[in-house]
Every structure is written in C-alpha cells, then in structure tokens.
Amino acid sequence: MKKWMKTAAAALTVAGVLSAGTAVMAAPVAAAPVKMFINGLYQDDVLNVNGRTMVQLKAFYDPDKISYSYESATKTIIIKNPVNKITVRLKDGLKTADINGKKIALDAPVTVKRGRTYVPVRFVAESLGGTVAYNNAAKQVIVRTPTGEEQFKTLMSGELDKARVAALDLPELNYGKEIQPYGEGFTTIYTFPIGEALRYKMEYRGLVTYVEVNENGIAEIKWQKDTIGKNGETGQEPKAFGESVYFMNNLMADRLSYGTVDSTGKSTELATVDRYNNPHFAYVLIMPIEGEVRTDAKLTE
C-alpha cells in the first residue's frame, strides 16, 4: 500500500488531561481516555506526571525545522529551531527549561523512563513553533509540529493535488476490525470524488478501504471490504462517489496511470507516467487534473 513512501513519525510530549464528571444520583462512570495525535499519528506511549499527559520527546519529529542533540558533560537535551532562532535546554527531573538563556517553568518535570525522555507537549510545541489544541467532545489532544501545521493548512485549504498528497500521507486510524487483503498484486488505486481531497477509496489486492479526513486532520478508516477473499466487511459502506478521478500506482511496472470515472462507473484514462524513463516522478502518486476545481476546502486559522 502507500506506506512504502511514508516516513514514520515518532513521539513527544503532551500537556493536559481532560476530565469527565458524573451525573447526579448515578453510579460513577470512568472517564473516556484522552487520545493524543501528533501530525495525525496516534500516540500510544504516554505517561501521566502530576496530572499531565506526556509522551516521548522524539514524537515531535520535524527534521526540516527542529534538531535534537545531547550534551553528555552536563546531561542536557538541546533542541534547536534555526528558523525561529530558538534553543531549548532540558534536564531530567527539572521543572524548568532554558529558552535562549531564560528559565521557563514547566507544567511537569522532564522525565526519563526506560531510556526515553518525556516532556510536557504544550511547552515544547508552542516554544518551538508548533500548535496544541483540545477536542473536548472527542477527548483528543491535537498536536502539530511547525511542518505539520503547514501540511495541515495545505490539506484543508491548499491546491487540490497538493491536498490529496497530504491526505494520502496521513497515517490511517482504524477504530474497528482491521481486514487484511486476500488477493495478490502490486497495484494500488486511489479514487477521489471530483473536486475533493478529504475522502477517498483505496483498492489494494482486492481490499477496498474508504477513508475520511476529519476537521483535525486525522484520517479515519470508515469502511473496508475484501472483494475477492473471505475476510468479510467492516464499517459502513459510503454512498457512490459519482463523478471521480483515479490514480493507479503499479509498483511492478513502475508506472502511474490516472484518469476520470463518470457517474455510471466508466473510466477514461488521461495519461500514464513511466517512472523508469522519468525518475523525477519516482514517488509521485497524485497528478493535477486539468480543469478540476477544489470544492471541499475548509478555512483554517
């Protein structure tokens, strides 16, 4: 599937635990766990320190904007954002951080456990140019690195082809049963409704997966179906897209074909890109479609 072109993101810090009350005269109900996402990736390695939810520092992964180093003589973690001209110095157990020589209080102390460093996310994200937001209804903490914030804006309101690339590059979150493909093959087909980037179908080895990207930039698998095997179906099948566009990635032939699909399901190929003779298209999955206008752009702050 498309995972062959993705780089794995890692894990960082998060601050703030949301709480849920109990109804009057009712038995106590356990609060739903808070889920944290960094650049759309769910973080499952978290700590709770002094009422603060914290994850691995390396999760705030942004190699284009942020670098990490360790000063062994002083046992200090050094984080730099050259673009913003910011240098952060952290030490295990301290509840303060040094930002460009100025001491700043932390919500919880820097914690090293099992050889991994955990830090309050709001401090690191905001001090290094990222963002942190809370979705109370969904019990989610949404964190983005500087580059992640740029990609989010492209995803939500950017040019259609670039938004589709950003959508496909998101890790998919599956809340239900995950179905494995039964068939064989080396071709993946991505289909988007005309003018849209925030929902698509992906077909690989007979498994059809329907994905929606929500307002927080999280890609959620809503439906899967094994069309040729015995692995069944899960989720709610979406309504037919109607007019749409497709992008067919053939790894074995090293070729990308793309075209349109009309309301009856008839496809028309527009072009094929031979990557062998055009190596600059090596990792390209999406091509702009002439005359297509985006219709699902959303405003971002």
Side-chain angles (χ1 to χ4, degrees), residues 3-43:
K3 297 292 187 281
W4 60 276
M5 64 171 292
K6 290 185 178 179
T7 24
L12 157 77
T13 232
V14 142
V17 175
L18 307 178
S19 60
T22 55
V24 176
M25 302 301 292
V29 178
V34 176
K35 293 182 173 66
M36 184 181 62
F37 298 85
I38 298 179
N39 293 342
L41 179 66
Y42 174 63
Q43 305 296 314

Side-chain angles (χ1 to χ4, degrees), residues 31-58:
V34 176
K35 293 182 173 66
M36 184 181 62
F37 298 85
I38 298 179
N39 293 342
L41 179 66
Y42 174 63
Q43 305 296 314
D44 57 1
D45 182 8
V46 300
L47 294 180
N48 188 297
V49 179
N50 295 345
R52 300 296 180 181
T53 303
M54 306 170 69
V55 294
Q56 291 188 60
L57 178 61
K58 68 177 184 179

Side-chain angles (χ1 to χ4, degrees), residues 18 35-42 131-145 148-153 155-156 166-167 170-171 173 175 198 212-220 222 298-301:
L18 307 178
K35 293 182 173 66
M36 184 181 62
F37 298 85
I38 298 179
N39 293 342
L41 179 66
Y42 174 63
T131 62
V132 181
Y134 299 88
N135 185 325
N136 290 304
K139 299 290 185 185
Q140 293 176 346
V141 181
I142 310 299
V143 182
R144 300 188 192 96
T145 66
E149 181 65 17
E150 294 172 1
Q151 293 173 336
F152 175 71
K153 291 178 179 178
L155 175 71
M156 291 299 172
L170 289 170
L173 182 65
Y175 291 107
L198 301 180
E212 289 183 1
V213 180
N214 69 17
E215 67 278 6
N216 293 317
I218 298 172
E220 301 173 317
K222 299 292 186 177
K298 301 180 186 298
L299 295 176
T300 59
E301 296 181 358

Side-chain angles (χ1 to χ4, degrees), residues 6-289:
K6 290 185 178 179
T7 24
L12 157 77
T13 232
V14 142
V17 175
L18 307 178
S19 60
T22 55
V24 176
M25 302 301 292
V29 178
V34 176
K35 293 182 173 66
M36 184 181 62
F37 298 85
I38 298 179
N39 293 342
L41 179 66
Y42 174 63
Q43 305 296 314
D44 57 1
D45 182 8
V46 300
L47 294 180
N48 188 297
V49 179
N50 295 345
R52 300 296 180 181
T53 303
M54 306 170 69
V55 294
Q56 291 188 60
L57 178 61
K58 68 177 184 179
F60 204 70
Y61 181 75
D62 197 335
D64 293 332
K65 303 285 178 67
I66 298 170
S67 66
Y68 296 91
S69 61
Y70 183 71
E71 191 176 81
S72 57
T74 61
K75 297 182 179 180
T76 301
I77 299 165
I78 302 173
I79 314 169
K80 293 184 177 182
N81 183 331
V83 176
N84 292 348
K85 299 180 180 179
I86 291 174
T87 299
V88 177
R89 299 171 70 90
L90 303 169
K91 286 187 178 182
D92 179 25
L94 291 188
K95 205 174 178 180
T96 60
D98 180 302
I99 301 181
N100 291 347
K102 183 179 180 180
K103 296 293 183 183
I104 302 295
L106 300 175
D107 292 332
V110 177
T111 302
V112 176
K113 188 173 183 179
R114 303 185 301 273
R116 301 168 184 172
T117 302
Y118 299 79
V119 188
V121 66
R122 179 177 293 279
F123 164 77
V124 177
E126 293 182 351
S127 65
L128 292 173
T131 62
V132 181
Y134 299 88
N135 185 325
N136 290 304
K139 299 290 185 185
Q140 293 176 346
V141 181
I142 310 299
V143 182
R144 300 188 192 96
T145 66
T147 298
E149 181 65 17
E150 294 172 1
Q151 293 173 336
F152 175 71
K153 291 178 179 178
T154 297
L155 175 71
M156 291 299 172
S157 57
E159 296 176 13
L160 183 56
D161 59 319
K162 293 181 175 60
R164 283 173 172 164
V165 171
L168 293 185
D169 203 36
L170 289 170
E172 300 105 358
L173 182 65
N174 193 340
Y175 291 107
K177 172 188 175 184
E178 184 175 0
I179 295 179
Q180 298 299 319
Y182 178 84
E184 298 179 353
F186 299 92
T187 299
T188 306
I189 304 172
Y190 306 100
T191 305
F192 292 84
I194 285 285
E196 296 187 31
L198 301 180
R199 59 190 183 117
Y200 63 91
K201 290 179 183 176
M202 174 174 57
E203 184 172 351
Y204 175 70
R205 291 167 53 189
L207 177 65
V208 180
T209 301
Y210 171 62
V211 179
E212 289 183 1
V213 180
N214 69 17
E215 67 278 6
N216 293 317
I218 298 172
E220 301 173 317
I221 294 177
K222 299 292 186 177
W223 172 71
Q224 286 187 303
K225 184 176 182 179
D226 179 4
T227 62
I228 61 175
K230 301 178 181 179
N231 293 328
E233 179 178 4
T234 185
Q236 180 65 46
E237 182 176 2
K239 294 181 180 179
F241 282 176
E243 293 188 342
S244 50
V245 296
Y246 73 88
F247 304 89
M248 183 183 297
N249 179 44
N250 188 317
L251 286 177
M252 181 64 73
D254 206 12
R255 181 179 300 152
L256 173 69
S257 302
Y258 59 97
T260 60
V261 182
D262 66 20
S263 57
T264 68
K266 180 182 178 181
S267 61
T268 300
E269 183 176 305
L270 297 178
T272 295
V273 177
D274 180 356
R275 296 194 183 100
Y276 182 79
N277 293 312
N278 298 276
H280 53 289
F281 286 106
Y283 299 106
V284 173
L285 289 178
I286 299 294
M287 296 290 288
I289 306 295

